[in-house]
Amino acid sequence: MTDVGRPADDLDALRSWQRPLRAQFPIITAHPELAYLDSAATAQKPQAVLDAVHSYLTTSNANAGRGTYPWANATTALVERTRDRVKEFLHDPAPDRSTVHFTGGTTEGLRTVARDWLTTFLTDGDEIVVPFADHQANLAPWLEAQQLLAQRGVHIRVRRLPCQAGSGDYDPVAFAALLGPRTRLVAATHVHHVYGGDMNVHRLREAAGPHVPICLDAAQSIGHLPVSMAELDVDFVVFSGHKALALPGTGAVWSRGLRGPAFRPGGWQGTPNTVGIAALAAALDWLEAAGPDRIERWTVALAARLTDGLRQLARYQVLGCRASLSAASAVQRRRSIVTFRHRDIASHDLGFILYSHGFMVRSDHHCQAGADAGAKDGSVRVSLHVHNTPEEVDALLSTLTSLQ
Ligand code: PLP
């Protein structure tokens, strides 16, 4: 959990920092009548990322790892440099020991860890612990691995990572009781994509002890808050480029290689997504320059303003962590995601109504495994990024108030 200042103060303190950053998102500035509130689905791109794509394609586009001429060598260097960039961005304390493998995104990354790492060393009776109420992407690959192993005659047990009712937080006490000598992996999520809470993965590490590998789905944290491998003692970090201001079709698996066998993604890899990798490097540079700590403070403050406002409105129910929702709270568990339901208006309808007022939100079950996400008709998710403003939040609240 990150301690931040009082979010209400942060909006004033960070105003002059945020304004020029917003101006760097062409799609945002081109549409002042619209508010993009769906960054958890995919993030908008700053000009620097668009420039990096153009520059790469117009100066050195070639294949990587195969060249005898300058463009090809430049592309190979770009790919290697971006691997190092990912390690730096994660504050990797031992970059010589870790690896970065580029993927098409978080789903593909988690599937690669499940298929090319986990299934290579499990034996009959081994156990893994996985989150059944997180994103499908962090459940399906582990169940597929179980099936794959069963086809080979190896039967493993998949245990449900326990959550606390209401908040959706992991329950470290119930978790500790699940662990045993055959536990080979714990799969967890850094920030929940529906409830918006920081899942306090360090508490899973404390409960699991030093020997069990943890694989972290960081799809909703990279680009939103500082993520430090010096602090989080996990073994894999998997994320999507497109949610971190880069392009769709890119992502990475960072792997530490301390616990279990080395991660060696299987087979012939083919041509990497070099344009996506160029964009990812530019996005990480941009985020670093903007300051992940300030992006976190800004978006936490906006989310707190929205949850505070929603709590005044009797017809809305906010999902997820109830504690520390307030802008006056000094410890924020909620990050940049606020998900809610209207008591009478179906969430899907509310999504359409909100767009008619210029607000782009997500309204469905959010690909949540087990499809809790606000029960039968889903929920409305507002997810914020650095370009969003208190004015957008206030305008949304005033529209939601008019629908009371
Ligand atoms: N994990 C989480 C927490 C997510 O929010 C998402 C996407 O919304 C994913 C995984 C899947 O990411 P992708 O679709 O980029 O593979």
Side-chain angles (χ1 to χ4, degrees):
M1 184 184 343
T2 313
D3 282 357
V4 292
R6 284 179 69 250
D9 299 339
D10 279 339
L11 289 178
D12 290 336
L14 293 174
R15 260 292 169 158
S16 54
W17 160 84
Q18 188 266 350
R19 215 171 269 128
L21 295 180
R22 176 180 166 92
Q24 292 176 44
F25 287 81
I27 199 170
I28 299 293
T29 54
H31 297 284
E33 76 290 5
L34 297 174
Y36 186 73
L37 302 170
D38 200 15
S39 293
T42 198
Q44 300 303 343
K45 322 303 175 199
Q47 186 65 48
V49 170
L50 308 181
D51 290 347
V53 169
H54 187 264
S55 160
Y56 171 69
L57 288 174
T58 52
T59 62
S60 55
N61 177 41
N63 212 321
R66 297 153 166 79
T68 50
Y69 55 90
W71 292 357
N73 294 337
T75 297
T76 304
L78 165 75
V79 172
E80 291 316 315
R81 221 175 32 247
T82 308
R83 283 190 221 284
D84 292 341
R85 192 71 193 86
V86 170
K87 293 181 187 183
E88 264 169 40
F89 194 80
L90 294 176
H91 302 100
D92 182 343
D96 296 342
R97 297 199 50 174
S98 62
T99 60
V100 171
H101 169 66
F102 292 114
T103 67
T106 307
T107 307
E108 187 186 313
L110 291 167
R111 185 165 280 123
T112 306
V113 176
R115 194 194 50 214
D116 297 341
W117 181 77
L118 187 71
T119 60
T120 61
F121 68 96
L122 293 195
T123 57
D124 234 24
D126 279 345
E127 300 188 355
I128 61 174
V129 184
V130 305
F132 276 67
D134 292 2
H135 197 284
Q136 292 274 13
N138 204 9
L139 175 61
W142 310 117
L143 298 179
E144 289 162 13
Q146 182 188 32
Q147 277 174 5
L148 195 67
L149 285 163
Q151 285 161 12
R152 297 178 196 158
V154 175
H155 298 280
I156 65 160
R157 186 160 179 204
V158 177
R159 312 207 62 162
R160 192 178 286 251
L161 180 52
C163 291
Q164 284 157 3
S167 69
D169 290 349
Y170 298 139
D171 181 338
V173 177
F175 167 68
L178 277 187
L179 297 163
R182 302 300 299 270
T183 309
R184 299 283 179 254
L185 173 78
V186 177
T189 301
H190 199 186
V191 170
H192 200 282
H193 72 295
V194 178
Y195 305 131
D198 182 321
M199 301 299 278
N200 281 330
V201 176
H202 64 281
R203 290 196 305 196
L204 297 185
R205 168 56 69 208
E206 281 159 22
H211 302 303
V212 179
I214 297 181
C215 176
L216 190 66
D217 172 347
Q220 296 298 349
S221 54
I222 300 285
H224 287 270
L225 53 137
V227 179
S228 168
M229 291 308 102
E231 285 169 22
L232 278 183
D233 186 6
V234 297
D235 300 274
F236 294 93
V237 172
V238 185
F239 67 95
S240 301
H242 70 100
K243 294 182 198 286
L245 313 185
L247 298 188
T250 41
V253 176
W254 172 91
S255 126
R256 172 169 264 171
L258 279 182
R259 302 174 181 96
F263 172 55
R264 291 204 178 80
W268 171 245
Q269 295 293 320
T271 302
N273 178 354
T274 50
V275 183
I277 289 169
L280 182 61
L284 297 182
D285 286 347
W286 192 91
L287 289 162
E288 200 85 84
D293 54 334
R294 282 179 291 189
I295 294 174
E296 176 184 32
R297 283 167 56 201
W298 181 258
T299 53
V300 162
L302 292 177
R305 189 178 181 107
L306 179 56
T307 45
D308 270 358
L310 279 167
R311 280 200 304 181
Q312 312 301 316
L313 306 178
R315 307 212 79 71
Y316 294 90
Q317 175 205 0
V318 178
L319 307 187
C321 55
R322 302 267 185 282
S324 76
L325 296 187
S326 161
S329 168
V331 178
Q332 287 294 318
R333 295 278 337 281
R334 182 179 292 285
R335 300 288 144 209
S336 52
I337 293 172
V338 184
T339 303
F340 55 91
R341 306 181 68 204
H342 191 288
R343 295 197 196 283
D344 306 312
I345 305 175
S347 297
H348 207 60
D349 296 344
L350 191 50
F352 282 111
I353 296 169
L354 288 176
Y355 183 66
S356 73
H357 293 265
F359 303 104
M360 290 179 267
V361 297
R362 171 95 176 250
S363 52
D364 58 12
H365 287 93
H366 319 295
C367 309
Q368 186 179 19
D372 170 35
K376 59 180 185 325
D377 84 330
S379 46
V380 172
R381 181 180 72 184
V382 170
S383 52
L384 301 146
H385 217 310
V386 63
H387 50 74
N388 292 118
T389 62
E391 289 73 23
E392 289 175 331
V393 169
D394 292 349
L396 174 66
L397 279 168
S398 118
T399 300
L400 292 172
T401 304
S402 71
L403 299 171
Q404 275 267 77

